[in-house]
């Protein structure tokens, strides 16, 4: 079928080319003209990054092409209930600023999972957290690369492999060359493109549709504006309780994983790090409102045209809705389609570069610390750059292998965050809240939480209930019909209702449909993070108690949330590391200061004891 959405103007290619050129240029600038001489400069920007760029980087790392494609889709196909997920994300960012930053920043760590190793005095727990975090990051990067590539292949004629490979190579290249400074400053540039592109599209689309009043009138008539679903049943896909409570725990892994901690540690002070995290709240509010309005405008547009693009066969998947709308409505505005695709790719590149940089840090600090203990800084930096390229290649390969994935991309991403990230966040909070937790409990609890969560998540994808959309848009006035696509799309979702020769999909017979005999498979994806976190914490603390808690060793207070240190005062050790002198032999690492463990009296530690016995510094 001939459709103007598949045609690109030369200005579209120019806009895309300039975007990729600037991103690459930032990498070359920091890689060749502002060279990083140490691994700390390469991975953490020398711990001198400014709070505004880092705040923006924290935002765009996970508000990627997934949200650009997925949020308008959610509003168009379902309703605005998903907006509560944004409220949950804002709450999670507030928790990050008030709880996680005061704990993590003073430790001076380069890796999030380095905290696991120090807190539980266990290499096994550190490696378990590293595996969980890297698995989540790889899976998310694959989805971020795949989602826009699938959409653009259908509506812009760009081959799938071209989008994946181009974005993968450029992201891996500039990240490998320039390190953390490149990642943060390209994130700032991509933020400008992303926000600017969305605002331009929203304004022009409102003019095309006829203004806010008309958009809201059509949306209310079509039951797209809904904020009052309070059903307590956890099998209901979106409810206020599920989206708020479950959503917070689905997002918390992104607040304490490697990408987040690396940015927190890259700033000049704990105050800057806290402000940077809290700035995400107003930025997220603006971003979420824009995307939700775009979804309502798209819905109003196709209702007025009486032509649902999916049911008419124009697109084969609702994930293609946003790019199809832009290229159909604005195909006669040269350069705008290119600007939108640049915005889409900017979301992908920001996530890809952050993920690659964080996993290269994991490689140096968590996987190979003993191997590289005596290696020169230059050699460590080279290894980090090589690792960046390898992880970029892995993300490209996984994205291509995952091309058969279907379903709302936001749901796929949130499922990934909750299923893998929930147990990882559980280990983090187990260590930061309960000084009684030991390495056996942390390791066992993490494994139990991961096993149960993956079982539930995979089972829900394969056998769980399928979400029932709101009443579909008519296709009565579609000028060109692809009848093969129509029949395929209709039969793959539900049985259509024929009324006055209008193919209008209705779902009034059942608001919620449950698909499996095992009820847990029907639990909404928004609860996966909550399930994984709770199982990990509960099983971890019980196993710790059964195995002798900390086995006589008290937990150092720096590893517990500051607000809880008074509560657990009798279980903690307080000390002042600034007084200690370094020695070459018989040393133990405290706050990355090597101290002599032989003359204990010289350390001048203050011990809080429940029992009379000699402390252990191991």
């Amino acid at each position: 079928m001939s459709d103007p959405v598949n045609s690109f103007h030369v200005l579209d290619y120019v806009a895309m080319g300039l975007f990729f050129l600037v991103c690459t240029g930032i990498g070359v600038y920091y890689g060749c003209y502002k060279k990083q001489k140490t691994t700390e400069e390469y991975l953490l920007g020398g711990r001198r990054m400014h709070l505004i760029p880092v705040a923006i980087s924290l935002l765009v790392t996970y508000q990627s092409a997934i949200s650009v494609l997925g949020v308008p889709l959610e509003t168009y196909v379902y309703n605005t209930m998903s907006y509560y997920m944004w409220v949950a994300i804002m709450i999670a960012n507030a928790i990050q600023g008030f709880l996680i930053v005061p704990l993590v920043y003073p430790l001076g760590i380069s890796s999030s999972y380095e905290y696991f190793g120090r807190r539980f005095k266990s290499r096994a727990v550190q490696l378990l957290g590293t595996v969980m975090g890297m698995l989540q990051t790889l899976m998310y990067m694959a989805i971020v690369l795949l989602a826009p590539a699938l959409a653009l292949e259908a509506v812009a004629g760009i081959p799938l492999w071209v989008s994946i490979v181009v974005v993968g190579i450029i992201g891996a290249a500039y990240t490998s060359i320039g390190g953390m400074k490149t990642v943060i400053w390209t994130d700032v540039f991509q933020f400008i493109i992303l926000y600017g592109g969305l605002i331009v599209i929203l304004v022009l689309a409102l003019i095309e549709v006829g203004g806010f009043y008309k958009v809201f009138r059509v949306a209310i008539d079509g039951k797209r504006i809904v904020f009052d679903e309070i059903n307590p049943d956890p099998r209901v896909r979106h409810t206020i309780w599920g989206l708020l409570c479950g959503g917070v725990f689905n997002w918390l892994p992104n607040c304490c994983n490697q990408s987040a901690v690396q940015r927190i540690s890259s700033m000049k002070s704990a105050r800057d790090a806290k402000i940077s995290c809290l700035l995400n709240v107003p930025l997220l509010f603006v971003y979420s409102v824009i995307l939700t309005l775009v979804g309502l405008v798209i819905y109003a547009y196709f209702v007025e045209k009486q032509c649902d693009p999916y049911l008419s066969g124009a697109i084969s998947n609702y994930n293609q809705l946003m790019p199809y709308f832009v290229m159909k409505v604005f195909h006669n505005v040269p350069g705008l389609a290119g600007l939108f695709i640049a915005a889409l790719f900017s979301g992908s590149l920001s996530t890809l570069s952050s993920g690659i940089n964080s996993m290269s840090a994991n490689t140096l600090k968590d996987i190979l610390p003993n191997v590289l203990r005596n290696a020169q800084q230059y050699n460590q930096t080279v290894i980090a750059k090589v690792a960046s390229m390898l992880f970029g290649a892995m993300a490209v390969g996984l994205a291509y292998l995952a091309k058969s994935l279907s379903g709302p991309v936001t749901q796929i991403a949130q499922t990934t965050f909750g299923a893998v990230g929930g147990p990882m966040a559980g280990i983090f909070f187990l260590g930061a809240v309960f000084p009684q937790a030991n390495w056996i409990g942390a390791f066992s609890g993490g494994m139990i939480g991961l096993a149960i969560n993956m079982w539930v998540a995979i089972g829900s994808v394969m056998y769980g209930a399928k979400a029932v959309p709101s009443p579909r848009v008519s296709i009565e006035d579609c000028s060109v019909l692809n009848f093969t696509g129509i029949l395929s799309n209709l039969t793959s979702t539900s049985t259509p209702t024929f009324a006055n020769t209008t193919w209008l999909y209705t779902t009034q017979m059942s608001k919620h449909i449950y698909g499996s005999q095992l009820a847990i498979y029907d639990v909404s994806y928004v609860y996966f993070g909550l399930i994984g976190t709770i199982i990990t914490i509960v099983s971890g603390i019980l196993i710790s108690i059964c195995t002798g808690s900390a086995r006589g060793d008290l937990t150092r207070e720096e590893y517990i949330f500051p607000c809880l240190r008074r509560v657990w005062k009798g279980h903690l050790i307080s000390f002042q590391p600034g007084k200690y002198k370094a020695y070459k032999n018989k040393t133990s690492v405290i706050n990355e200061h090597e101290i002599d463990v032989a003359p204990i009296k010289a350390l001048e530690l203050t011990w809080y004891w429940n029992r009379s016995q000699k402390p252990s510094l191991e």
Side-chain angles (χ1 to χ4, degrees):
M1 131 178 129
S2 63
D3 198 319
V5 300
N6 287 323
S7 60
F8 254 36
H9 192 275
V10 64
L11 289 179
D12 296 323
Y13 289 107
V14 170
M16 292 171 57
L18 287 174
F19 166 74
F20 287 123
L21 185 63
V22 172
C23 291
T24 306
I26 294 173
V28 171
Y29 174 75
Y30 281 107
C32 299
Y33 298 99
K34 293 285 185 178
K35 293 183 178 181
Q36 294 85 34
K37 298 179 181 179
T38 65
T39 54
E40 185 171 277
E41 290 180 349
Y42 182 78
L43 297 176
L44 297 171
R47 301 184 190 268
R48 303 296 297 171
M49 299 303 299
H50 297 281
L51 69 92
I52 298 297
V54 175
I56 292 172
S57 182
L58 281 168
L59 175 73
V60 300
T61 292
Y62 288 104
Q63 306 310 328
S64 60
I66 298 293
S67 56
V68 175
L69 295 175
V71 175
L73 177 157
E74 280 283 343
T75 306
Y76 180 92
V77 176
Y78 301 102
N79 50 52
T80 56
M81 275 299 298
S82 62
Y83 190 82
Y84 285 108
M85 179 62 77
W86 291 102
V87 179
I89 294 172
M90 296 177 207
I91 294 172
N93 280 319
I95 293 173
Q96 182 185 41
F98 288 112
L99 279 183
I100 296 175
V101 170
L103 171 68
V104 168
Y105 189 87
L107 297 176
I109 55 179
S110 302
S111 162
S112 173
Y113 315 111
E114 188 179 346
Y115 167 76
F116 289 15
R118 290 197 198 181
R119 164 61 183 87
F120 296 106
K121 306 171 188 175
S122 169
R123 177 87 172 128
V125 177
Q126 182 175 356
L127 288 175
L128 176 62
T130 301
V131 170
M132 288 180 177
M134 294 179 74
L135 179 61
Q136 177 194 336
T137 301
L138 271 174
M139 292 171 64
Y140 186 58
M141 286 196 306
I143 298 168
V144 164
L145 281 174
L146 177 65
L150 283 171
L152 295 174
E153 181 183 42
V155 301
I158 301 176
L160 179 72
W161 70 269
V162 171
S163 295
I164 292 176
V165 171
V166 168
V167 175
I169 289 177
I170 292 176
Y174 75 67
T175 303
S176 174
I177 294 171
M180 174 58 81
K181 289 183 179 179
T182 294
V183 171
I184 288 178
W185 285 110
T186 51
D187 281 351
V188 172
F189 170 67
Q190 290 155 9
F191 166 84
I192 295 171
I193 297 297
L194 184 61
Y195 268 57
L198 288 174
I199 291 172
V200 169
I201 288 167
L202 176 60
V203 171
L204 294 179
L206 280 170
I207 296 173
E208 177 75 19
V209 172
F212 280 110
Y213 176 78
K214 186 174 183 179
V215 167
F216 283 107
R217 178 176 57 80
V218 173
I220 292 172
D221 292 342
K223 299 181 179 179
R224 282 335 191 251
I225 298 180
V226 179
F227 292 103
D228 60 352
E229 179 59 79
I230 58 173
N231 193 328
D233 190 340
R235 296 175 298 175
V236 178
R237 183 172 182 264
H238 284 169
T239 66
I240 293 176
W241 321 116
L243 288 165
L244 288 181
C245 300
V248 168
F249 283 90
N250 256 16
W251 201 258
L252 276 177
N254 299 328
C255 297
C256 59
N257 66 4
Q258 177 61 29
S259 293
V261 170
Q262 204 170 342
R263 280 157 179 73
I264 290 171
S265 299
S266 71
M267 280 179 275
K268 298 177 181 179
S269 66
R271 176 181 174 276
D272 284 359
K274 180 179 178 180
I275 294 174
S276 182
C277 294
L278 296 179
L279 276 176
N280 272 250
V281 175
L283 290 174
L284 279 169
F285 175 77
V286 174
Y287 184 66
S288 59
V289 168
I290 291 173
L291 286 177
T292 303
L293 286 175
V294 168
L296 293 175
V297 169
I298 293 175
Y299 175 75
Y301 174 83
F302 285 113
V303 166
E304 288 298 304
K305 298 296 182 182
Q306 289 288 288
C307 185
D308 184 286
Y310 176 73
L311 296 183
S312 68
I315 58 177
S316 59
N317 189 301
Y318 269 122
N319 291 316
Q320 301 163 353
L321 178 69
M322 179 70 169
Y324 175 81
F325 169 77
V326 171
M327 301 189 74
K328 179 178 178 62
V329 176
F330 305 119
H331 67 275
N332 58 346
V333 182
L336 189 59
L339 176 63
F340 168 72
I341 292 178
L344 205 58
F345 280 151
S346 72
S348 295
L349 278 172
S350 62
T351 300
L352 181 68
S353 60
S354 298
I356 290 172
N357 188 253
S358 69
M359 287 192 292
S360 66
N362 291 144
T363 302
L364 263 62
K365 301 298 182 180
D366 299 309
I367 298 176
L368 302 175
N370 296 327
V371 176
L372 301 176
R373 185 182 301 275
N374 298 319
Q376 295 180 352
Q377 290 289 318
Y378 174 79
N379 293 333
Q380 291 188 35
T381 304
V382 169
I383 291 173
K385 292 182 177 183
V386 172
S388 296
M389 295 300 295
L390 290 176
F391 287 126
M394 289 175 64
V396 169
L398 284 174
Y400 197 77
L401 290 175
K403 61 183 178 180
S404 60
L405 285 176
S406 61
V409 288
T410 48
Q411 180 171 332
I412 296 172
Q414 288 288 338
T415 299
T416 301
F417 292 153
V420 184
M424 185 272 291
I427 296 176
F428 182 90
F429 281 88
L430 174 68
V433 174
F434 300 101
Q436 301 89 344
N438 62 16
W439 77 268
I440 301 175
F443 186 84
S444 302
M447 292 295 292
I448 293 170
L450 182 63
I452 293 177
N453 238 27
M454 292 300 290
W455 163 56
V456 173
I458 294 173
S460 69
V461 171
M462 296 178 63
Y463 309 112
K466 304 303 178 185
V468 177
S470 297
R472 298 280 181 93
V473 176
S474 169
I475 59 170
E476 181 178 9
D477 291 341
C478 291
S479 56
V480 180
L481 296 179
N482 180 347
F483 287 97
T484 302
I486 291 172
L487 293 175
S488 173
N489 292 339
L490 285 170
T491 56
S492 66
T493 53
S494 64
T495 303
T497 299
F498 296 89
N500 299 325
T501 68
T502 300
W503 292 13
L504 180 64
Y505 179 76
T506 59
T507 59
Q508 302 306 313
M509 60 283 195
S510 176
K511 193 171 185 180
H512 307 294
I513 297 175
Y514 304 118
S516 66
Q517 295 181 351
L518 194 59
I520 197 168
Y521 289 158
D522 292 330
V523 170
S524 172
Y525 71 96
V526 301
Y527 290 100
F528 291 161
L530 178 63
I531 293 171
T533 303
I534 290 178
I535 289 175
T536 299
I537 292 176
V538 172
S539 58
I541 197 65
L542 290 176
I543 293 172
S544 294
I545 293 172
C546 293
T547 55
S549 290
R551 298 196 175 191
D553 292 338
L554 299 185
T555 301
R556 295 211 303 272
E557 68 173 17
E558 62 177 357
Y559 298 142
I560 301 297
F561 285 133
C563 61
L564 297 177
R565 289 171 186 170
R566 282 186 171 272
V567 176
W568 296 117
K569 183 177 180 180
H571 297 267
L572 302 176
I573 303 169
S574 175
F575 65 98
Q576 295 117 9
K579 294 184 179 180
Y580 308 147
K581 184 178 179 181
Y583 293 85
K584 292 184 178 179
N585 300 318
K586 298 181 181 179
T587 60
S588 175
V589 177
I590 293 183
N591 263 7
E592 294 192 341
H593 294 277
E594 291 191 39
I595 63 173
D596 185 13
V597 299
I600 295 179
K601 292 183 179 179
L603 300 180
E604 301 178 357
L605 298 177
T606 303
W607 299 90
Y608 294 100
W609 283 103
N610 288 340
R611 57 186 73 84
S612 59
Q613 60 180 0
K614 188 175 180 179
S616 170
L617 291 179
E618 296 179 359

